[in-house]
Amino acid sequence: MDNPEGRRAQREQRRGPVTRRHGQMQQGTTDQHLLDTRGTADWVHEDPFRVMRIQSEFVEGFGALAELPPAISVFGSARTPRNSPEYEAGVAIGRGLVEAGFAVITGGGPGAMEAANKGATEAGGVSVGLGIELPFEQGLNPYVNLGVDFRYFFVRKTMFVKYASGFVVLPGGLGTLDELFEALTLVQTKKVTRFPIVLFGTEYWQGLVDWLRGTLIAQGKAGPHDLQLFHITDDVDEAIGLVTKEAGA
């Protein structure tokens, strides 16, 4: 099946605020160059300038998001089909969060992220997308009304937590798991407080919860109380109620 968005992604590359297309596209990403240890020793001379670029990303992100109303970050797969129940749930969650008085923050991409942004926009709320430079970047979805593109994952992850009062996590892949466990770690270590985390989709998440209980906790790598760091539900209204009540709405 023809995929115009996929074709566009292959012809377009975003590097922070810069968009490159066709013959102007470059190999690799900024994160990759920063973390690559196999390159030349040029990094000795380049890293001070990278620090300035990293600083500028923090400044731009803080400046764009500092006046947000209370917000909830919603995570989920970029591969969630638009005609799926998961997508519909994402739209309902985005709408419900706005109706509860919150802005909605996502990664700004397609799938579940687009769904939450769509619900937020249709409800007349603030719909935030925090994009990231990737080898095949699809750009921000059309339902984002406040967007910021980042080069570095760690800067972007700071924004997700700093400007959100909680997380709703829809079924997703490695990126979703990364954000989930980052948040769980911050709550467990009390780096953040009053930060509810709601997993939406019992069937999807139950295997992970069973592994946490039956392996991680059973072997003493975590405590039974760590299972209280998050809630799991299949009900949209319950998810919204849990995340907004504990966030202090």
Side-chain angles (χ1 to χ4, degrees), residues 21 24 37-38 41 47 56 81 85 138 154 175 199 211 225 243 247:
R21 293 175 176 158
Q24 293 299 312
T37 60
R38 297 171 297 175
D47 272 3
S56 73
Q138 292 183 309
F154 60 87
L199 308 184
W211 177 80
H225 58 279
V243 77

Side-chain angles (χ1 to χ4, degrees), residues 69-248:
I72 301 295
S73 290
V74 181
F75 298 98
S77 176
R79 304 181 186 186
T80 300
R82 287 176 177 157
N83 60 352
S84 68
E86 288 176 15
Y87 189 95
E88 294 177 3
V91 173
I93 288 170
R95 182 184 304 114
L97 289 172
V98 168
E99 292 172 350
F102 286 79
V104 172
I105 303 174
T106 80
M113 294 174 282
E114 177 185 289
N117 285 133
K118 179 180 180 181
T121 296
E122 291 179 346
V126 180
S127 179
V128 180
L130 305 182
I132 184 68
E133 173 190 310
L134 295 172
F136 298 103
E137 179 59 58
Q138 292 183 309
L140 297 175
N141 69 65
Y143 300 103
V144 169
N145 54 41
L146 175 58
V148 184
D149 281 312
F150 294 93
R151 295 181 176 92
Y152 299 102
F153 267 112
F154 60 87
V155 179
R156 179 182 184 236
K157 289 168 72 173
T158 299
M159 304 300 160
F160 278 130
V161 176
K162 178 173 175 57
Y163 292 104
S165 302
F167 283 0
V168 176
V169 189
L170 292 143
L174 296 179
T176 301
L177 290 172
D178 178 42
E179 297 294 349
L180 168 60
F181 279 98
E182 172 97 2
L184 289 172
T185 301
L186 291 173
V187 176
Q188 182 198 50
T189 57
K190 302 188 185 305
K191 295 292 186 180
V192 294
T193 57
R194 291 175 58 86
F195 199 89
I197 300 168
V198 178
L199 308 184
F200 187 86
T202 302
E203 183 179 359
Y204 188 85
W205 294 111
Q206 193 59 54
L208 174 62
V209 176
D210 291 342
W211 177 80
L212 291 173
R213 180 183 293 109
T215 301
L216 199 72
I217 293 172
Q219 294 185 13
K221 305 297 191 298
H225 58 279
D226 288 327
L227 291 177
Q228 300 175 16
L229 298 177
F230 59 87
H231 306 276
I232 183 169
T233 183
D234 292 313
D235 184 85
V236 170
D237 291 336
E238 182 180 18
I240 294 168
L242 286 168
V243 77
T244 56
K245 180 181 178 180
E246 291 194 23

